[in-house]
C-alpha cells in the first residue's frame, strides 16, 4: 500500500522477503480453516485443533506479518524485517499449539512494526504517518493485552483499530492527489480522537457503541474524500482498485452501524456480523485491491492486470452477504454456506494472485528471450 522508499544499503533483497510472506500466508490458510471449525464445518485436524486461535492467526500472524513486511520494505532497514519474522514465527507457534510463545512473538513483531512506523513518522511528519503510527501502537497494545491473558473479546477492538487506522492512514497518504479541505482534515482528526476515547472506554456500556460510531464516521469520510470516487470511472486496474475501495467502505459502514446498534457482545449473531463485515468485507476488499501494488513492491515481480481479478471480489461480496443474512435470520445453514463461500473467495484470491505473478514472470521471460533483447 505504501510505495517503498529507496532501499538503502542493508535492506533485505526480494528473495529473502518471500519466506516471510509465505509465513503470513500459512497463517491465513490455517486461520481460515480454524474459523470454519468454529461454526461446525469439517476441516483438517491441524486447523480444527487451533479453532480458538482463529482471530490471532488472521489478525496477529497474517496481517501483522504482511503489514510489518510492507513497512520494512518501505523503509529499507534490515532490522525492520525482524518484525515480520517475529510475527510469522508467532503464527507457526500458534499452529503448533504453543500459544504462550506465540503471544510474545507477536508482541515482539508489533514492537518492531511500531519502531519502523515511528521511523517513517520521523522522516516524514504528516497526519497520515501519525495515523499509521497510531495503528501500529494499537497493535502493540492489543498483543500485550493478549499476552497478559486478557480475554480476546476485550482486546479485539485494539486489533481492529490497528487494521482500520493502517488502511485509513495509507488512503490519507494517497489523498494528496485530491487533497481534502481543511474542514475535512479537522473532521478526520476528530474521528481519530473518537477512536482513542472509544478504545480507552471499552469497559463502559457505551464504549463499543462509540467505537462503532467512529467506524461509521470513518467509512463516510473515506467514501467522500477518497480519490476512488473519480478513478472508478477509469479502466482496467485503476477501476478495479477503486471498486475494491468503495466496496470496502460500504462494508465498513455496515460494521459501524451494527456495532452502533448492538455493541460488541461475544457469542451473539450481531457480533459475528459486525466482525466479519469489517474483517472480511472491509479489510479483505482492501487487500484484494492493493495486492497488484503490494506484491510487486515486496517481491519485485509484475502482476499484469486481468479481468479475473474481479472474481474473488465478487465471490467475497456475495458470500459475505449470505453470511450476514444467516446472522440476521438465525439460519445456521446460511451462516455456514456463507462462511464456506468466504473461504472459497480467499482461496480464489490466492490462486488468482499466483497466476498473475506467473503471467508476469512468463511475460518478462518472453521479452528477455526475443532476438536482440540483450543488445
Amino acid at each position: 500500500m505504501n510505495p517503498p522508499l529507496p532501499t538503502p544499503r542493508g535492506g533485505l533483497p526480494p528473495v529473502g522477503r518471500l519466506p516471510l510472506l509465505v509465513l503470513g500466508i500459512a497463517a491465513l490458510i490455517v486461520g481460515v480453516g480454524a474459523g470454519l471449525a468454529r461454526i461446525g464445518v469439517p476441516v483438517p485436524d491441524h486447523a480444527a485443533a487451533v479453532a480458538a486461535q482463529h482471530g490471532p492467526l488472521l489478525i496477529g500472524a497474517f496481517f501483522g506479518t504482511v503489514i510489518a513486511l510492507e513497512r520494512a520494505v518501505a523503509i529499507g532497514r534490515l532490522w525492520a524485517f525482524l518484525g515480520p519474522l517475529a510475527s510469522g514465527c508467532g503464527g507457526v507457534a500458534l499452529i503448533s499449539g504453543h500459544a504462550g510463545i506465540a503471544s510474545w512473538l507477536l508482541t515482539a513483531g508489533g514492537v518492531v512494526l511500531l519502531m519502523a512506523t515511528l521511523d517513517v513518522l520521523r522522516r516524514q511528519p504528516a497526519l497520515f504517518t501519525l495515523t499509521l503510527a497510531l495503528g501500529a501502537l494499537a497493535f502493540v497494545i492489543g498483543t500485550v493485552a493478549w499476552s497478559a491473558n486478557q480475554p480476546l473479546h476485550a482486546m479485539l477492538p485494539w486489533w481492529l483499530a490497528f487494521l482500520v487506522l493502517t488502511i485509513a492512514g495509507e488512503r490519507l497518504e494517497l489523498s494528496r492527489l485530491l487533497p481534502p479541505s481543511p474542514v475535512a482534515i479537522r473532521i478526520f482528526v476528530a474521528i481519530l480522537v473518537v477512536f482513542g476515547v472509544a478504545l480507552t472506554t471499552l469497559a463502559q456500556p457505551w464504549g463499543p457503541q462509540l467505537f462503532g460510531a467512529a467506524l461509521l464516521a470513518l467509512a463516510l469520510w473515506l467514501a467522500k474524500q477518497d480519490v476512488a470516487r473519480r478513478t472508478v470511472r477509469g479502466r482496467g486496474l485503476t477501476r478495479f482498485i477503486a471498486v475494491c475501495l468503495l466496496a470496502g467502505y460500504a462494508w465498513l459502514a455496515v460494521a459501524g452501524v451494527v456495532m452502533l446498534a448492538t455493541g460488541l457482545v461475544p457469542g451473539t449473531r450481531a457480533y459475528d456480523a459486525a466482525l466479519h463485515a469489517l474483517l472480511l468485507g472491509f479489510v479483505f476488499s482492501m487487500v484484494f485491491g492493493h495486492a497488484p501494488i503490494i506484491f510487486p513492491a515486496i517481491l519485485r515481480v509484475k502482476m499484469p492486470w486481468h479481468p479475473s481479478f474481479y472474481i474473488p471480489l465478487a465471490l467475497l461480496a456475495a458470500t459475505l452477504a449470505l453470511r450476514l443474512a444467516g446472522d440476521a435470520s438465525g439460519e445456521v445453514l446460511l451462516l455456514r454456506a456463507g462462511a464456506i463461500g468466504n473461504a472459497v473467495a480467499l482461496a480464489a484470491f490466492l490462486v488468482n494472485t499466483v497466476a498473475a505473478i506467473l503471467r508476469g514472470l512468463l511475460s518478462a521471460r518472453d521479452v528477455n528471450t526475443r532476438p536482440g533483447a540483450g543488445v
Side-chain angles (χ1 to χ4, degrees), residues 102-345:
S103 66
W104 291 109
L105 283 170
L106 293 180
T107 299
V111 169
V112 177
L113 170 61
L114 177 58
M115 292 171 59
T117 311
L118 291 175
D119 183 68
V120 175
L121 177 61
R122 176 186 61 82
R123 288 198 263 170
Q124 190 174 2
L127 181 57
F128 80 87
T129 52
L130 174 62
T131 305
L132 293 175
L134 291 175
L137 178 61
F139 182 53
V140 172
I141 293 173
T143 52
V144 168
W146 183 54
S147 300
N149 295 318
Q150 292 294 314
L152 185 61
H153 69 268
M155 43 71 57
L156 186 59
W158 289 97
W159 276 356
L160 299 180
F162 157 55
L163 297 174
V164 170
L165 292 177
T166 297
I167 293 170
E170 290 168 345
R171 295 313 305 170
L172 183 62
E173 175 188 10
L174 294 177
S175 71
R176 289 177 298 179
L177 301 173
L178 189 65
S181 68
V183 172
I185 291 297
R186 287 195 288 271
I187 292 173
F188 185 87
V189 172
I191 293 172
L192 291 183
V193 172
V194 174
F195 264 113
V197 173
L199 288 169
T200 54
T201 58
L202 288 171
Q204 300 298 323
W206 44 267
Q209 279 89 350
L210 186 62
F211 187 76
L215 292 177
L216 177 58
L218 182 61
L220 296 175
W221 191 95
L222 289 169
K224 175 68 169 62
Q225 301 297 330
D226 202 299
V227 69
R229 290 190 302 112
R230 296 190 177 185
T231 56
V232 73
R233 303 167 190 162
R235 295 182 179 180
L237 180 60
T238 299
R239 183 173 188 174
F240 169 72
I241 293 174
V243 170
C244 289
L245 294 173
L246 296 176
Y249 300 152
W251 286 117
L252 181 62
V254 170
V257 168
V258 174
M259 288 188 200
L260 184 58
T262 65
L264 276 173
V265 183
T268 63
R269 297 197 301 270
Y271 184 82
D272 181 85
L275 290 187
H276 289 91
L278 194 159
L279 292 171
L280 283 172
F282 173 58
V283 177
F284 271 101
S285 290
M286 298 295 153
V287 171
F288 289 5
H290 288 94
I293 301 171
I294 296 173
F295 284 100
I298 291 176
L299 301 177
R300 293 292 186 262
V301 295
K302 293 182 178 180
M303 276 187 64
W305 155 252
H306 193 274
S308 63
F309 285 11
Y310 279 104
I311 295 175
L313 181 66
L315 279 173
L316 181 67
T319 57
L320 183 54
L322 185 63
R323 178 175 191 145
L324 267 60
D327 282 321
S329 65
E331 291 290 339
V332 176
L333 291 180
L334 278 180
L335 173 64
R336 288 177 180 169
I340 293 171
N342 298 157
V344 172

